[in-house]
Structures are given as C-alpha cells and as structure tokens.
C-alpha cells in the first residue's frame, strides 16, 4: 500500500496532474471571460464522451492515433531526440497506405497487413531522413522535422492529385475492401462508431515500445545514447546509427497511426488544406505521459476525451470548440515549465509536511 | 505578352508576400541571437493578425483611415504580451524552449479563433475590414517604368519592414546594445562576467521578437486578406523561421531569404495565371522553401551557423 502511495505522490506523477488541473483552470478562466459557464461546459464534455455508445466508440477512435503519435514522440525523446515530425510521418503513413489500399490486389489477410506495413515503413523512412541528417550532417532535428512536416503535406497532396484523385475531386477513391481494418462487429456494438483493429495495434505498439526499450540490448543502447551520447560513444556504441534507428522507429509508430486512420476510419484520403494535428497533439501526449508507454496511453486517453468532448461543450454550453486548444496548450506549457507548476504545488506540499 | 509588365508585377508581388516574412524573421532573429529558440513565430504572427484585424474593426468607425495604424500598433503590443509566457518559461523557469514554443503555437490558434467566435457572434472569421492599409504611390519614383510599379507603389508596411532591416543591422552590429545581445547568445557566461544582465537582455529580446512577429501577422490581415480567420497565417511563421536560418541569423540575410521565399509565392500565383501548372505542380513550389532550408542546413547550399548558446538555459553565476 505504501508503494502505491509513493507512486501517486512522486513528482513524475504530481507534475502532470497539476499541469492538467492548471490547464483546465486556464480553460475555465477563458470561458468565464467569454461569458460561459465552465462547470456546465466541462459537464457537457463528459456527457458527450460517456453519454452514449456511439460517442464513446468515436472517442476511442479519436484516442487511437494519439497513442501512435504520442509513442512516436516519446520514443525519439528517450534517445535524446525531439521529434516534432510525427505530423509529417503520420501524413506519409496515410498516403502510403492509401496507395497500397487502392493499387494492390490481394486477399484480405495479406492486403490489410501489407497496407499497414507500408504506412509504418514509409513513416519510418520519413523519420529516418531527419535522423540521417542529424547523424551525418549534424543538423538539428527540430528544424528538419518541422520542415519535413510541410513537405509531407504538399508531397501527399501531390501524389493524391497525380494518381488517385479524379479531376475536380477533393479526395481519393475508396480503398479496396480487402485492405480495410474496420472492426465490423465491434462497430455494431457501438452503434456503428468507426472502431477498427488499429486500436489493438496501438496497444500492442505501446507494449512493443516497452519491451524494445527496457528488455533488449538495442533498447539499452538507445536509452544510453539518449542519456549520455558521449559516454555511449566511449563505451563503443554507434551513436549515429542509434539516432537514425530511433527516428525510424518513432516515424514507424506515427506512420502506422496514419495508415490506421485511412484503413480503419475513412477508407479514402482527402486533399489536405492543413496539417491534421495528431502529430502536434502527440507531443503533448508524450510530455504528459512522461515519455513512458503507459503514460502515453493515459495521456492519449485524456487528450482524446478532451478533443472529442469539445463538440459537447459547444452543444451544451455554447462554448466554441477552439477553447479545448487553449486547455491543451496550457497543459503542454505547464508541463514544459514544470518550474511554474512546482511553484504552485510547493505551498500545498509544505503545509502537508508541516502537518505531520 | 508584355514581359515588362509581367516582371513588374512579379517584383511587386514578391515584395508584398515578403513583407510579413521579413517582420517575423527579424523578430526571430532578436530572440535567437540572444540565445532563446523561437519556434513560436507562427503563433506570434497569428496573434498579430488577429489583434490587428480586431482592433482595426473597432477603431474604423471612429478613426477612419487611421484605424489600420492603430490596429498595427495594437498587434505590436499584443505580440509582446503574448511572447511574455515564452520568456518567463524559458528564461526564468528554465523550461524546454522548443516545447514552450510548441505550446504557444497551439495556444495562438485556439485563443484567436475562440475570441473571434465570441466577438463576432459565432463566426469563424472577422467581418471584412472597411479600412485597411492602402498602397502608397511615391511621387515621381512611381512613374519609373517597371521599377515604379514594382517598388514604389507598395503598402506602407513594406517600407517599414525594409527600414527595420536597416535599423536592426545598425542596432545589432554598431551599438553596444547589439554587442550585448550577441554576447548573451554566443557566450552568456562571458557576458555575465563583464556585468551584462543576461536574463534581462534575453527577456528584452523575446518581447521584441513577439512584437515584430505580430507586426508581420498584422501585415497580412491589414493588407492582403482584409480579415482574420484560422488560416490567415497558415505556416508563414515557419517559413519565416526557415528564412532566419537560411539568412544565417543576419538581418540582411533574413531579408534576402524572405524575398526569395516571396518570389516563390509570387511565382505560384503567376504560374496559375499562365496555366503552367501542367508543367510545374503547385505543390512543388509550395515545398520549395522547406526543401531549400533543409539543403542549407545540410550544408549543400552554403553553411549556416547558429548562435553558440542557442537553446541553452543560463543560470546567473554558473560556469
């Protein structure tokens, strides 16, 4: 029991929780300033998510890509890299799986896995570009991944227009049924919410993340490089190769996430006017989750609930859905500046200790 | 086809498209020269575009043609205020500057559209402004063939931007303030030793950065779009960041890079007019600035060197 208490009073747990509370408070202040009732708004958010089977299912759909992009950012982070590029890797995963889903003709047990794999591979290679640039040319991955996000967006649109979109259309044809990963009977249980096998894959990916990093030799190397590249180099590890590998694996997670959106949710790809945003949310998810697999899953659940429930806030309390972006950004901000959070929780902390 | 007219229009459009980028890239330069990474340029531009539009909207009935100037000033102030959390987090609380920047980019879009919907009764964009910046026709000079239309019939914001480039160059390389700013970004410990207040210097730089980037955003809403919506800025802050790196953290370089990215944008509209999209897909032109930035960084097109202490937190008295 004491161990359980120890976990819940640890700083690595308290800071994210305090950041979430401060984020929700910031949102509440913004709502009060706009003349809305924050209590009613948050209640409607919860009502929206848990009120009926369909919405609950759709929330799970919303959470799934966030697990993937969260893992993507967290994995790179573990090796000392900042992957702002989950967005681009996600998009590249989408277009690769669309291509395989439309162009290839195979029985379902080969087609669907191949389409998912194509997405993962393409996303991985896209991530590896930034990894290679860092390893071979010493280019900071933060800037390259931001640039690669935009390149991915336009590149995907170009491929769509060149090969998969009829003149004047804004979206591709449907992927073949054999490539679909929709989970039919589960969908029916949730009033045809768009549930798919990708959710299971996301959980497996989190397990894979854990096993790879903490149970294998290459995982040990990746973490060692993340903690101290110089010492790792001295210990005979190939730091550059690890950087490329880490970005590849991170990109692969995001790429599979993108593939699952196409193969499980939409079954076609649209020409994008802007970034879909899952990659950026992934940064928040990874930060909140302390870059651990379990933390990422929990963080994704929180952000999935917030983003999907935002529509409920609009309906129940008239609050514009954009407010949830204010909440999310405040949470990221407070996690980043955990000094501020500690500043807030310190007085409470002191009081508690004084009481003993 | 009159190639003189085409060229003249191309130059003209280049300057129009570059103006916002010049403001924002200059803004980024102040912050990064002081050692604080600023990937929040995009968010700062969004806040500027929003504030510029809203202030002008409320001022236009009373102040008429003066309203856009008030909006522009408002954007400048709002940008500095918006940059403050980034300064507090990354300088005082030693937060990760990249994460803090990401958070601000997020916040800007969320907050500005949220406020727009509140102010304009649920609409996702501001009402079209009646008063925006008009073009200045500089007497005599604007009569010069080709160059007259290209350079001397521009928005006042363009002239301000170019003046700021010259001013920033002077400030950075010819004054003691500039020397201190650069010292703080290159070698904060040495700067501290000679009595420069590193933190105050960095605070100043980040706030200037927010003000300038916001002026860039306001340039867009007060000249070309005449309103604010969620896609008014759409990635130009990131192009400005690219221009800053491409321009090697130098005011002239940043201006040159911004003009180059402006040409890319101007060609884009030209390509569409002449139906050349059959040969050059617009997406390729869209990609160009980003691809070039990566090539520059990889050392394929010249080398780029960042301030030495960029992104490194400095604790007063540390060694």
């Amino acid at each position: 029991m004491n161990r359980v208490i120890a976990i819940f009073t640890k700083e690595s747990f308290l800071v994210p929780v305090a950041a979430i509370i401060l984020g929700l408070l910031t949102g509440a202040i913004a709502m009060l300033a706009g003349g809305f009732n924050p209590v009613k708004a948050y209640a409607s958010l919860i009502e929206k998510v848990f009120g009926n089977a369909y919405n609950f299912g759709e929330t799970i759909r919303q959470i799934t890509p966030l697990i993937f992009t969260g893992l993507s950012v967290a994995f790179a982070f573990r090796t000392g890299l900042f992957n702002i590029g989950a967005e681009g890797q996600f998009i590249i995963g989408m277009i690769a799986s669309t291509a395989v889903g439309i162009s290839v003709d195979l029985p379902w047990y080969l087609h669907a896995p191949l389409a998912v794999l194509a997405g993962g591979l393409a996303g991985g290679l896209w991530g590896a570009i930034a990894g290679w640039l860092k390893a071979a040319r010493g280019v900071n991955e933060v800037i390259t991944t931001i640039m690669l996000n935009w390149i991915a967006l336009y590149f995907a649109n170009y491929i769509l227009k060149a090969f998969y979109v009829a003149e004047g259309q804004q979206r591709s044809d449907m992927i073949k049924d054999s490539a679909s990963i929709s989970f039919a009977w589960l969908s029916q249980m949730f009033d045809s919410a768009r549930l798919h096998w990708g959710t299971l894959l996301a959980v497996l990916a989190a397990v894979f993340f854990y096993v790879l990093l903490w149970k294998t030799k290459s995982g040990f190397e990746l973490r060692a490089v993340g903690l101290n590249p110089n010492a790792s180099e001295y210990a005979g590890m190939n730091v550059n190769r690890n950087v490329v590998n880490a970005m590849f694996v991170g990109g692969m997670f995001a790429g599979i996430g993108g593939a699952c959106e196409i193969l499980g949710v939409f079954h076609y790809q649209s020409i994008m006017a802007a970034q879909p945003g899952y990659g950026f949310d992934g940064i928040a998810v990874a930060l909140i989750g302390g870059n651990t697999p379990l933390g990422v899953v929990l963080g994704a659940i929180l952000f999935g609930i917030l983003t999907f429930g935002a529509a409920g806030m609009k309906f129940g309390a008239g609050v514009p859905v954009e407010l949830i972006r204010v909440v999310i950004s405040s949470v990221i901000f407070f996690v980043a500046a955990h000094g501020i959070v500690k500043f807030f929780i310190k007085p409470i902390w002191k009081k508690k200790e004084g009481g003993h | 086809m009159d190639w003189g007219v085409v060229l003249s229009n191309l130059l003209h459009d280049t300057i129009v498209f570059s103006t916002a980028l010049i403001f924002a890239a200059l803004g980024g330069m102040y912050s990064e020269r002081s050692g604080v990474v600023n990937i929040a340029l995009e968010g700062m531009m969004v806040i500027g575009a929003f504030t510029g539009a809203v202030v002008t909207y409320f001022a236009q009935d009373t102040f008429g043609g003066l309203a856009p100037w008030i909006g522009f000033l408002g954007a400048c102030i709002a940008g500095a205020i918006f940059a403050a959390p980034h300064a507090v987090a990354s300088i005082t609380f030693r937060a990760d500057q990249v994460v803090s920047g990401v958070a601000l980019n997020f916040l800007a879009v969320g907050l500005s559209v949220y406020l727009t919907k509140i102010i304009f009764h649920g609409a996702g964009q501001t009402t079209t402004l009646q008063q925006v910046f008009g073009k200045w026709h500089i007497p005599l000079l604007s009569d010069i063939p080709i160059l007259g239309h290209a350079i001397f019939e521009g928005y006042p914001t363009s002239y301000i931007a170019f003046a700021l480039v010259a001013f920033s160059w002077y400030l950075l390389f010819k004054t003691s303030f500039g020397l201190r700013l650069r010292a703080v970004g290159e070698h904060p410990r040495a700067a501290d030793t000679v009595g420069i207040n590193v933190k105050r210097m960095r605070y100043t730089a980040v706030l200037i950065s927010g003000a300038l980037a916001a002026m860039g955003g306001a340039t867009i809403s007060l000249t070309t779009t005449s309103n604010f919506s969620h896609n008014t800025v759409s990635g130009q802050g990131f192009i400005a960041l690219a221009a800053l790196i491409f321009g090697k953290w130098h005011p002239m370089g940043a201006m040159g890079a911004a003009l180059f990215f402006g040409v890319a944008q101007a060609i884009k509209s030209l390509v569409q007019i002449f139906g050349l999209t059959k040969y050059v897909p617009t997406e390729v032109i869209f990609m160009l600035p980003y691809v070039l930035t990566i090539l520059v960084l990889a050392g394929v097109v010249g080398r780029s060197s960042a301030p030495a202490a960029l992104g490194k937190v400095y604790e007063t008295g540390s060694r």
Side-chain angles (χ1 to χ4, degrees):
Chain A
M1 190 62 200
N2 277 336
R3 248 181 94 187
V4 176
I5 293 172
I7 290 173
F8 283 100
T9 51
K10 251 179 32 189
E11 206 175 88
S12 61
F13 180 81
L14 274 178
V15 168
V17 170
I20 292 164
I21 294 169
L22 285 174
L24 291 171
L25 280 175
T26 310
I29 293 167
M31 282 190 256
L32 285 172
F36 303 107
N37 180 346
V39 178
K40 199 174 162 196
Y42 285 134
S44 325
L45 186 152
I46 298 296
E47 165 73 24
K48 166 83 179 174
V49 173
F50 297 100
N52 66 49
Y54 173 79
N55 284 335
F56 188 64
E58 282 289 300
T59 309
I60 294 173
R61 171 193 70 72
Q62 183 83 10
I63 290 167
T64 307
L66 294 171
I67 298 179
F68 281 115
T69 52
L71 290 174
S72 170
V73 178
F75 194 86
F77 213 99
R78 280 282 166 194
T79 54
L81 297 165
F82 213 127
N83 181 17
I84 311 253
E87 194 74 39
Q89 295 143 18
F90 191 87
I91 294 172
I92 293 297
M94 284 166 71
I95 189 72
S97 67
T98 303
V100 172
I102 293 175
S103 316
V104 176
D105 229 340
L106 280 172
W108 65 268
Y109 52 87
L110 290 175
H111 197 180
L114 185 73
V116 173
L117 198 69
L121 217 58
L125 290 173
W126 201 255
I129 296 175
W132 180 81
L133 284 165
K134 167 118 183 172
R137 319 286 299 197
V139 186
N140 188 311
E141 77 281 4
V142 171
I143 305 294
T144 43
T145 47
I146 290 176
M147 299 302 142
L148 282 167
N149 284 342
W150 293 94
I151 298 172
L153 176 72
Y154 299 124
F155 178 70
N157 280 350
Y158 169 71
I159 298 287
L160 269 178
K161 280 188 192 163
F163 302 106
Y164 299 105
V165 168
E167 191 77 40
Q169 289 274 0
Q170 289 302 304
R171 68 172 182 83
S172 73
D173 294 331
M174 302 295 273
I175 56 157
K176 297 209 171 92
D177 281 341
S178 52
S180 166
I181 58 165
S182 292
F183 200 157
W185 69 258
L186 196 69
S187 254
Q188 273 163 17
M189 267 173 57
F190 282 90
D191 267 342
S192 31
R194 293 165 291 174
L195 289 163
H196 55 86
W197 288 97
T199 309
L200 186 69
L201 276 180
V203 176
L204 288 177
V207 174
F208 174 76
F209 182 114
Y210 174 76
V211 172
L212 180 64
L213 270 189
W214 280 279
K215 299 290 167 197
T216 68
K217 176 173 157 286
S218 41
F220 174 76
E221 276 197 19
L222 286 166
R223 282 185 298 130
V225 169
L227 289 171
N228 190 338
N230 298 330
S232 311
E233 184 90 63
Y234 184 69
M237 296 173 192
N238 186 336
V239 172
N240 284 344
R241 198 188 57 211
N242 273 304
V243 165
V244 179
N245 285 352
M247 285 303 290
F248 178 82
V249 176
M252 199 185 65
F253 284 131
I256 296 176
C260 290
E261 281 296 283
I262 297 295
L263 305 171
V265 181
F266 295 106
H267 303 116
Y268 60 81
Q269 185 168 345
S270 303
I271 290 176
M272 288 169 285
Q275 316 259 3
Y278 287 120
F280 294 117
D281 287 359
I283 299 171
V285 165
L287 285 168
I288 286 285
N291 300 308
T292 62
L294 179 64
V296 164
V297 173
L298 293 175
I301 291 172
L302 174 77
F303 282 94
I305 288 174
L306 287 179
T307 42
F308 188 78
M313 270 184 356
K314 166 100 184 109
F315 185 74
V319 180
V321 290
E322 285 73 20
L323 177 95
I324 220 64
R325 298 272 118 191
V326 175
V327 174
I328 292 181
S329 55
S330 314
V331 175
I332 310 178
F333 182 79
F334 286 121
V335 173
H338 42 77
I340 299 178
V341 175
K342 284 177 192 153
F343 181 77
F344 275 108
I345 52 180
K346 214 180 229 162
I348 308 167
W349 204 237
K350 283 253 171 69
K351 217 180 271 169
K352 226 164 108 190
E353 278 179 351
H356 274 287
Chain B
M1 198 181 308
D2 186 346
W3 288 104
V5 174
V6 172
L7 182 67
S8 182
N9 283 334
L10 184 69
L11 282 171
H12 179 84
D13 288 356
T14 300
I15 291 171
V16 170
F17 289 130
S18 306
T19 303
L21 298 177
I22 293 175
F23 275 114
L26 276 183
M29 191 197 68
Y30 281 92
S31 171
E32 302 221 332
R33 276 279 182 175
S34 83
V36 180
V37 175
N38 195 347
I39 63 168
L41 287 179
E42 172 82 7
M44 292 165 174
M45 286 184 84
V46 170
I47 291 297
F50 163 76
T51 316
V54 170
V55 171
T56 306
Y57 173 79
F58 285 110
Q60 62 192 6
D61 288 343
T62 323
F63 295 98
L66 209 59
W69 290 100
I70 299 169
F72 197 64
L73 190 69
C76 176
I77 295 164
I81 295 171
F82 183 73
H86 185 54
V88 174
S90 52
I91 301 165
T92 302
F93 286 98
R94 294 183 284 162
D96 190 307
Q97 298 167 5
V98 173
V99 184
S100 164
V102 169
L104 281 198
N105 282 339
F106 253 112
L107 178 65
V109 177
L111 193 64
S112 59
V113 179
Y114 173 70
L115 291 175
T116 303
K117 283 188 176 172
I118 290 174
I119 298 169
F120 295 92
H121 312 289
Q125 54 186 41
T126 63
T127 315
T128 305
L129 299 167
Q130 300 305 313
Q131 293 287 347
V132 288
F133 285 121
K135 284 181 185 166
W136 282 0
H137 292 247
I138 306 221
L140 299 177
L141 290 176
S142 57
D143 296 330
I144 302 171
I146 299 178
L147 285 185
H149 170 64
I151 300 174
F152 300 108
E153 289 181 10
Y155 293 109
T157 43
S158 300
Y159 302 121
I160 297 173
F162 288 114
L164 273 173
V165 170
F167 174 75
S168 298
W169 174 82
Y170 180 79
L171 190 68
L172 207 59
F173 297 106
K174 300 289 165 193
T175 67
S176 61
F177 174 84
L179 183 65
R180 286 182 193 149
L181 185 81
R182 285 182 291 134
V184 158
E186 294 292 341
H187 207 315
R189 186 156 57 89
D192 195 2
T193 316
V194 297
I196 299 169
N197 187 332
V198 176
K199 289 191 175 174
R200 197 171 63 199
M201 208 67 216
R202 287 189 170 174
Y203 261 92
T204 313
V206 173
L207 296 191
I208 292 176
S209 167
L212 286 176
M215 284 157 87
T219 297
I220 304 172
S221 60
L222 295 177
T223 60
T224 44
T225 60
S226 302
N227 75 353
F228 170 81
S229 74
H230 72 281
N231 59 10
T232 298
V233 175
S234 69
Q236 296 201 51
F238 293 111
I239 298 197
L241 184 67
L244 174 64
I245 296 165
F246 203 0
K248 302 179 183 178
W249 288 268
H250 190 286
M252 302 295 180
M255 179 188 71
L259 282 170
F260 175 78
F261 292 154
V263 172
Q265 217 167 337
I267 289 177
K268 191 172 70 199
S269 28
L270 212 65
V271 163
Q272 275 156 346
I273 292 167
F274 290 119
L276 294 173
T277 35
K278 268 178 282 182
Y279 311 104
V280 191
T282 39
E283 283 79 14
V284 172
I285 299 167
F286 277 115
M287 270 189 250
L288 206 60
Y290 307 109
V291 174
L292 275 166
T293 304
I294 289 182
L295 291 179
V296 167
L297 284 168
V300 178
V301 191
R303 280 204 62 82
S304 193
S305 56
L310 186 60
K312 297 196 181 98
V313 176
Y314 181 70
E315 255 313 278
T316 313
S318 74
R319 17 172 100 227

